[in-house]
């Protein structure tokens, strides 16, 4: 079955559920075969608009098993990608030993106050994965801030502006005390280097929930008139392995620790062959999205099965309408 026919079948499955995200018929839009140098897989890109074009900062895994980041730029965000001939950002072991086993899964936030983009990414250190950060104004030269969270921590992104005078970072530490498990946290900083006041923002639900195993941020939060729109991944562990699906939440604009709405159901999950078959089966993992303010169309770029890059689109109005009907979340640990 070709991808166009598969998508038509998804939209007309008779379930009564309106699909909020529609896959692009050209999916997957980028694979290792498109890369100008040898690569094993390309996936989980960070995304932004750069000089009016869509810029992806893709995670590229080499044939050793280590990852680096490479940018690809397109006028329409679908085809004719201009891909750097060499890695754009790769581990710097001399100055940043925490990047020993690669850098992964970037998220990109435009910080208007600094007139720079902030890239948060996972650096894989001897002690485990940690959150690192770099700043750039051209995606050629990068000012590495270095680690901003100790291991084990990942799935981090900055809010694009200060909130109550402080920078805010969503991240996902693994802790063994306080609230054991893989939950989404929020921390604050005055200088982007030193972070404190970390608190759980959203708990992984327990039991049979689709997000009962662990949760983590996907794309950076998007500011809307109704609140910060957040998309996150949830993991359910089954007898056949883990399944990564996506849910939505809405955070208060001036107090993002206040979760206004959270979807009980997952809204996007692995169903197509390029999402179900690959290095890691049954994974959809978006690292970024871009919004056309004129049309309200949201483009979400995601990794499929840790092997390729795909695109799905949604109406920002549809997402907010859906969230208005979602319940106010319970904030107990035993959700």
């Amino acid at each position: 079955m070709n991808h166009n026919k598969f998508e038509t079948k998804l939209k007309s499955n008779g379930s009564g559920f309106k699909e909020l995200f529609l896959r692009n018929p050209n999916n997957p839009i980028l694979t290792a075969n498109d890369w100008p140098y040898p690569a094993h897989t390309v996936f989980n890109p960070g995304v932004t608009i750069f000089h009016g074009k869509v810029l992806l900062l893709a995670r590229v895994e080499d044939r050793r098993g280590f990852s680096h980041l490479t940018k690809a730029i397109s006028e329409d965000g679908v085809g004719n990608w201009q891909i750097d001939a060499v890695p754009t950002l790769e581990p710097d072991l001399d100055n940043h030993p925490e990047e020993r086993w690669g850098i992964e899964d970037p998220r990109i936030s435009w910080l208007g106050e600094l007139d720079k983009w902030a890239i948060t990414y996972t650096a894989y250190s001897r002690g485990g994965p940690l959150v690192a950060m770099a700043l750039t104004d051209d995606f050629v030269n990068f000012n590495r801030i270095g680690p901003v969270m100790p291991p084990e921590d990942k799935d981090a992104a900055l809010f694009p502006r200060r909130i109550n005078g402080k920078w805010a970072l969503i991240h996902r530490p693994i802790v063994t005390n306080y609230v054991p498990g893989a939950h989404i946290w929020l921390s604050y900083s005055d200088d982007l280097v030193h972070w404190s006041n970390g608190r759980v923002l959203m708990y992984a639900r327990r039991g049979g929930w689709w997000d009962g195993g662990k949760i983590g941020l996907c794309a950076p939060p998007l500011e809307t008139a109704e609140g910060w729109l957040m998309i996150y991944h949830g993991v359910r562990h089954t007898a056949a392995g883990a399944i990564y699906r996506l849910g939505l939440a809405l955070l208060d604009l001036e107090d993002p620790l206040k979760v206004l709405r959270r979807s009980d159901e997952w809204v996007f999950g692995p169903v197509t062959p390029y999402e179900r078959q690959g290095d890691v089966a049954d994974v959809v993992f978006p690292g970024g999205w871009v919004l056309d303010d004129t049309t309200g169309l949201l483009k979400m770029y995601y990794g499929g099965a840790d092997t390729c890059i795909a695109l799905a689109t949604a109406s920002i109005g549809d997402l907010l309408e859906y969230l208005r009907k979602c319940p106010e979340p319970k904030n107990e640990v035993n959700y």
Side-chain angles (χ1 to χ4, degrees):
M1 181 182 293
N2 67 39
H3 296 155
N4 288 338
K5 290 181 180 179
F6 200 101
E7 181 69 12
T8 299
K9 183 177 180 180
L10 285 175
K11 289 186 285 186
S12 58
N13 58 15
S15 66
F17 180 82
K18 178 181 178 180
E19 294 291 344
L20 296 173
F21 289 92
L22 300 180
R23 292 165 178 80
N24 190 279
N26 296 300
N27 278 350
I29 59 171
L30 284 169
T31 72
N33 291 333
D34 299 303
W35 238 242
Y37 58 87
H40 172 56
T41 51
V42 296
F43 56 112
N44 297 5
V47 187
T48 192
I49 297 297
F50 180 68
H51 296 317
K53 301 177 182 180
V54 174
L55 180 149
L56 303 184
L57 194 59
R59 174 180 173 182
V60 182
E61 185 178 302
D62 63 27
R63 296 188 179 188
R64 300 174 303 165
F66 301 146
S67 293
H68 58 265
L69 310 179
T70 298
K71 75 173 182 286
I73 297 177
S74 167
E75 288 274 2
D76 63 4
V78 178
N80 297 316
W81 294 94
Q82 303 299 309
I83 304 170
D84 281 359
V86 296
T88 306
L89 188 64
E90 55 187 338
D92 178 4
L93 301 185
D94 290 338
N95 299 299
H96 293 275
E98 72 277 2
E99 299 177 350
R100 181 178 185 88
W101 291 324
I103 56 177
E104 309 174 352
D105 299 348
R107 275 78 164 187
I108 304 172
S109 300
W110 168 250
L111 307 183
E113 177 183 329
L114 303 182
D115 201 30
K116 294 180 185 295
W117 285 271
I119 303 164
T120 48
Y121 57 93
T122 299
Y124 223 104
S125 72
R126 283 184 179 272
L130 57 81
V131 177
M133 189 184 302
L135 301 177
T136 185
D137 57 12
D138 58 7
F139 288 94
V140 175
N141 303 291
F142 298 89
N143 174 27
R144 276 176 164 91
I145 292 176
V148 296
M149 290 290 169
E152 178 173 341
D153 207 329
K154 61 196 314 187
D155 296 331
L158 278 167
F159 286 77
R161 63 172 175 84
R162 292 180 189 261
I163 298 175
N164 297 319
K166 294 184 179 292
W167 298 108
L169 180 80
I170 294 177
H171 56 115
R172 205 279 305 284
I174 302 293
V175 297
T176 56
N177 53 15
Y178 176 41
V179 187
H183 313 294
I184 295 176
W185 288 55
L186 181 67
S187 296
Y188 291 97
S189 173
D190 293 317
D191 59 6
L192 296 177
V193 177
H194 305 94
W195 296 84
S196 60
N197 299 321
R199 292 176 58 188
V200 176
L201 167 63
M202 209 160 69
Y203 294 101
R205 290 180 271 217
R206 298 188 176 186
W209 289 90
W210 67 271
D211 54 358
K214 61 181 178 179
I215 59 174
L217 180 72
C218 289
L222 181 65
E223 187 168 8
T224 76
E226 299 183 33
W228 294 102
L229 178 62
M230 186 175 81
I231 190 164
Y232 72 98
H233 65 267
V235 180
R236 183 181 185 187
H237 297 286
T238 75
I243 305 174
Y244 280 68
R245 301 187 181 104
L246 309 180
L248 297 170
L250 194 66
L251 314 178
D252 186 84
L253 283 176
E254 298 308 321
D255 181 10
L257 275 169
K258 183 178 180 181
V259 182
L260 305 176
R261 293 286 187 271
R262 177 180 177 179
S263 61
D264 276 347
E265 302 170 319
W266 54 271
V267 298
F268 192 78
V271 292
T272 66
Y274 56 86
E275 298 161 348
R276 301 209 63 197
Q277 302 165 14
D279 268 16
V280 184
D282 292 325
V283 175
V284 289
F285 197 99
W289 50 15
V290 291
L291 176 65
D292 186 323
D293 292 321
T294 303
T295 64
L297 185 69
L298 192 63
K299 291 181 177 178
M300 178 180 75
Y301 293 86
Y302 64 98
D306 278 15
T307 301
C308 64
I309 295 174
L311 166 65
T313 57
S315 160
I316 187 72
D318 286 349
L319 300 186
L320 292 173
E321 180 184 4
Y322 173 80
L323 275 167
R324 291 185 202 111
K325 300 174 183 176
C326 291
E328 296 182 23
K330 301 173 184 178
N331 283 322
E332 300 99 16
V333 177
N334 295 309
Y335 198 99

